[in-house]
Amino acid sequence: MNDLSNYRKSYEKSELLESNIPEDPINLFNRWFHETEDFGGSEEVNAMTVSTIGLDGFPKARVVLLKKFTEEGFIFYTNYNSEKGQAIANNPRVCLSFFWHSMERQVIIKGTIQKIEESQSDNYFQSRPDGSKLGAIVSNQSEVVPSRAYLEENLSQLEKDYENMVIPRPKHWGGYLVVPVEVEFWQGRPNRLHDRIRYKAQEDYSWKIERLSP
Ligand SMILES: Cc1cc2nc3c(=O)[nH]c(=O)nc-3n(C[C@H](O)[C@H](O)[C@H](O)COP(=O)(O)O)c2cc1C
């Protein structure tokens, strides 16, 4: 039996008050991201969960790495033919979430998703180590493979094929931009009275800020 009912933690590290937040959620995200980098120890700050609605109607969540964020939104890289790629092609509404446990913080982003410019994917692809480039070529991400040996043999073959050559980005591998429509910031507080502040995009491009009950 694994009874976890005594796992209990009091959250006391910080607070999130209307008097101390920017008008734009990207600015607040930026502040929290860098605070986690500075004070969060070895945490993989840019690891985030991407949730999609699959072709089978089920939601699916998996971790990917955030590679860039700007006023426009949040960029990550993956295989466009993967299970998530197919889900996105069918339904471009996704959710990103971050759990920065060292800071007792969570951020949840609902948004619409689109492929980034091919030239931007090319640039990022070329910045990666050769091993990662070849890995992206070898992996038909999310497809069933006969064995690990099958992947390793294909990788060795590619290493020979591309020796001393520029490794081109496969067309089915590239970046996605998530444009936020709603961003919720959660700060753990004592007695379960956590702070929750939600930014909702308005038609005039401003953000509506509301506090949610914990
Ligand atoms: C820490 C971490 C980082 C990851 N980063 C990425 C990434 O940037 N891109 C990616 O495609 N998969 C990444 N993955 C693997 C994904 O979680 C997932 O297994 C893969 O994208 C296939 O998902 P899908 O079959 O649902 O499409 C990462 C996994 C972990 C645990």
Side-chain angles (χ1 to χ4, degrees), residues 11-211:
Y11 298 110
E12 310 189 333
K13 289 203 169 148
S14 192
E15 56 186 19
L16 180 62
L17 302 176
E18 289 84 340
S19 56
N20 187 27
I21 55 172
E23 286 175 5
D24 183 313
I26 304 285
N27 287 335
L28 185 51
F29 182 87
N30 185 48
R31 185 193 297 172
W32 275 24
F33 189 91
H34 291 295
E35 284 174 358
T36 309
E37 259 186 337
D38 292 346
F39 308 117
S42 60
E43 196 155 314
E44 246 185 312
V45 186
N46 64 330
M48 62 180 184
T49 300
V50 184
S51 304
T52 52
I53 302 293
L55 302 181
D56 56 7
F58 283 96
K60 184 180 171 188
R62 78 289 279 160
V63 174
V64 300
L65 297 178
L66 176 67
K67 286 293 169 178
K68 189 171 185 175
F69 63 95
T70 66
E71 282 303 309
E72 250 193 313
F74 302 83
I75 291 178
F76 66 94
Y77 289 87
T78 193
N79 184 311
Y80 290 142
N81 296 335
S82 62
E83 186 176 345
K84 80 181 86 48
Q86 294 179 38
I88 287 165
N90 185 55
N91 182 346
R93 293 181 201 89
V94 301
C95 181
L96 305 178
S97 55
F98 295 80
F99 173 37
W100 290 319
H101 57 87
S102 61
M103 305 298 287
E104 303 172 346
R105 287 172 175 172
Q106 171 177 227
V107 182
I108 303 172
I109 301 159
K110 287 187 198 170
T112 55
I113 186 164
Q114 61 201 58
K115 290 179 184 171
I116 61 172
E117 294 288 333
E118 298 217 6
S119 57
Q120 201 179 345
S121 289
D122 285 336
N123 288 341
Y124 175 68
F125 187 79
Q126 290 309 333
S127 76
R128 305 175 88 209
D130 281 357
S132 306
K133 290 180 193 162
L134 293 177
I137 296 175
V138 146
S139 170
N140 293 320
Q141 195 177 55
S142 317
E143 287 192 8
V144 174
V145 284
S147 63
R148 175 151 192 107
Y150 166 87
L151 292 172
E152 286 176 356
E153 281 159 22
N154 284 350
L155 181 60
S156 311
Q157 185 56 47
L158 280 179
E159 280 167 353
K160 288 183 198 126
D161 294 347
Y162 283 105
E163 208 177 348
N164 302 321
M165 284 170 64
V166 174
I167 303 165
R169 174 180 67 88
K171 290 289 172 214
H172 58 261
W173 189 98
Y176 281 113
L177 168 71
V178 177
V179 178
V181 297
E182 204 177 290
V183 187
E184 180 187 328
F185 295 85
W186 183 100
Q187 175 70 62
R189 298 292 306 272
N191 304 318
R192 298 295 180 259
L193 280 189
H194 312 302
D195 287 326
R196 295 177 64 193
I197 297 285
R198 181 179 66 196
Y199 290 74
K200 259 189 160 177
Q202 305 297 292
E203 284 190 358
D204 65 0
Y205 298 107
S206 68
W207 293 90
K208 183 173 183 185
I209 299 177
E210 292 166 309
R211 174 173 288 270

